[in-house]
Amino acid sequence: MKPNSLTTLAWVFANALLLSALFGLETDINFFSWNPKWGIQTIGYIAGIPAVIVFHYFITRATRQRTTCIIALSTSLLVMALAFFAAQPEPHGTGWLARTASSPGWYRWGRVLVCYFPFLISLWVLRRVMRETKYA
């Protein structure tokens, strides 16, 4: 495989890792109702999120092509949009699988803030690559 395709796959993989860490955290503490239990699995998901963002930073150093930047920007935009749509309060109800309380706002909007980092990093990379290819 070419280095550009490996870098593109790394961007997609990093965004998928971020989504999986957030999904795991969501299912662990907010699946049926807001129940923040602090087990080793929850701590692992929380520790994995900054590790994935650092992984995004290291991918930026290897990104040199515009097409890779466009794919990175689009997948990061998709992650950001998914987090934004999931930030709405969960509906309350009665019956089986009904929620008694929504998750707190700091938790929902914190997920959105975490998902903005890959988007901002990919914008920074696109700007850098555009500047480098303009003068080359």
Side-chain angles (χ1 to χ4, degrees):
M1 286 185 126
K2 293 183 177 180
N4 295 334
S5 58
L6 288 176
T7 308
T8 304
L9 284 175
W11 273 102
V12 173
F13 181 68
N15 284 324
L17 274 177
L18 182 65
L19 275 180
S20 67
L22 288 172
F23 181 75
L25 184 65
E26 179 73 16
T27 56
D28 201 26
I29 66 174
N30 194 27
F31 190 60
F32 292 119
S33 189
W34 176 248
N35 184 18
K37 56 180 187 233
W38 295 99
I40 191 75
Q41 196 170 7
T42 306
I43 294 169
Y45 290 133
I46 291 172
I49 291 170
V52 171
I53 292 174
V54 169
F55 182 50
H56 276 90
Y57 171 73
F58 284 114
I59 297 170
T60 61
R61 299 176 69 185
T63 305
R64 300 279 183 248
Q65 295 290 327
R66 288 184 189 181
T67 55
T68 305
C69 290
I70 299 298
I71 292 171
L73 189 65
S74 62
T75 57
S76 299
L77 185 65
L78 178 68
V79 168
M80 188 178 64
L82 286 173
F84 184 73
F85 287 128
Q88 303 304 321
E90 297 90 357
H92 301 273
T94 58
W96 193 58
L97 299 178
R99 284 186 171 267
T100 57
S102 296
S103 57
W106 62 265
Y107 170 72
R108 288 181 274 125
W109 290 103
R111 287 183 313 195
V112 173
L113 181 67
V114 164
C115 288
Y116 272 115
F117 284 117
F119 180 71
L120 292 175
I121 289 171
S122 61
L123 275 177
W124 176 60
V125 167
L126 181 63
R127 182 175 172 238
R128 179 183 54 89
V129 167
M130 294 293 274
R131 192 173 355 138
E132 285 176 359
T133 56
K134 185 170 112 175
Y135 296 118

